[in-house]
Amino acid sequence: MNRTVRLCVNGTPLALNVPVRTTLADCLRHGAGLTGTHLGCEHGVCGACTVIVDGDAVRSCLMLAIQAEGSSVTTVEGLAPADALSPLQAAFRKHHALQCGFCTPGILTTAHAFLTQEPDADRERIREMLSGNLCRCTGYIPIVEAIYEARAAYRRGTKGDKS
Ligand code: FES
Ligand code: FES
């Protein structure tokens, strides 16, 4: 059985007809063509699939698309204006906070939701927030430093997303 799901994704209203058991991750990747949302474990452990739903970081492999009906969703594609890096993304580049990049969309969306709510977080709090996102190749020190540096943009309200 299919249902039409209406969402606002990265500021754009979408109506996507999907089987009722489709996850939000698959709906975004295959229905909306937003393949920046990655799937690793597909059971809520790795954090690679994290997107922002109505302001909260959510594992899109664990949420059905129909549960997001009427919501505002931000994916990694919505974190920055076209052809530019957001302050958070620029800090990741500066601090070499990624290698293969598979985990990076989920870490960026998680950190974006976090810094929007806690722009004064210290390094310990950032490490705690990152505990739900697995990176198999970079090591966490550059990631923590990048997020720590990006805090200033969130305090100024210049975080750069499209939502
Ligand atoms: S793919 Fe969703 S948490 Fe790993
Ligand atoms: S950069 Fe490769 S898994 Fe994190």
Side-chain angles (χ1 to χ4, degrees):
M1 185 170 67
N2 278 32
R3 274 267 300 272
T4 298
V5 180
R6 290 178 178 77
L7 306 165
C8 185
V9 181
N10 302 330
T12 302
L14 296 179
L16 301 165
N17 190 262
V18 294
V20 290
R21 295 178 65 179
T22 302
T23 63
L24 179 58
D26 284 341
C27 178
L28 292 168
R29 287 177 54 83
H30 304 301
L34 296 169
T35 54
T37 297
H38 290 170
L39 280 166
C41 67
E42 298 192 64
H43 61 273
V45 174
C46 73
C49 66
T50 304
V51 299
I52 302 167
V53 178
D54 294 333
D56 292 321
V58 166
R59 301 198 167 207
S60 62
C61 71
L62 294 183
M63 186 173 192
L64 294 175
I66 57 174
Q67 291 178 294
E69 168 76 28
S71 296
S72 176
V73 178
T74 303
T75 69
V76 69
E77 290 91 344
L79 293 185
D83 303 326
L85 296 179
S86 72
L88 181 61
Q89 290 169 327
F92 267 61
R93 181 168 69 179
K94 175 180 167 187
H95 289 275
H96 307 290
L98 65 151
Q99 287 185 43
C100 78
F102 189 85
C103 68
T104 309
I107 291 181
L108 288 170
T109 48
T110 302
H112 181 79
F114 170 76
L115 288 177
T116 299
Q117 293 171 5
E118 296 188 40
D120 296 315
D122 61 15
R123 287 184 174 84
E124 197 53 42
R125 183 75 185 108
I126 291 170
R127 284 192 195 95
E128 188 182 356
M129 174 273 298
L130 275 175
S131 63
N133 290 79
L134 302 183
C135 175
R136 301 299 293 270
C137 49
T138 299
Y140 289 89
I141 290 173
I143 298 172
V144 171
E145 289 309 307
I147 296 170
Y148 189 80
E149 180 172 309
R151 300 179 315 159
Y154 287 79
R155 287 199 208 102
R156 288 193 306 265
T158 54
K159 55 187 182 170
D161 63 353
K162 297 178 189 168
S163 58

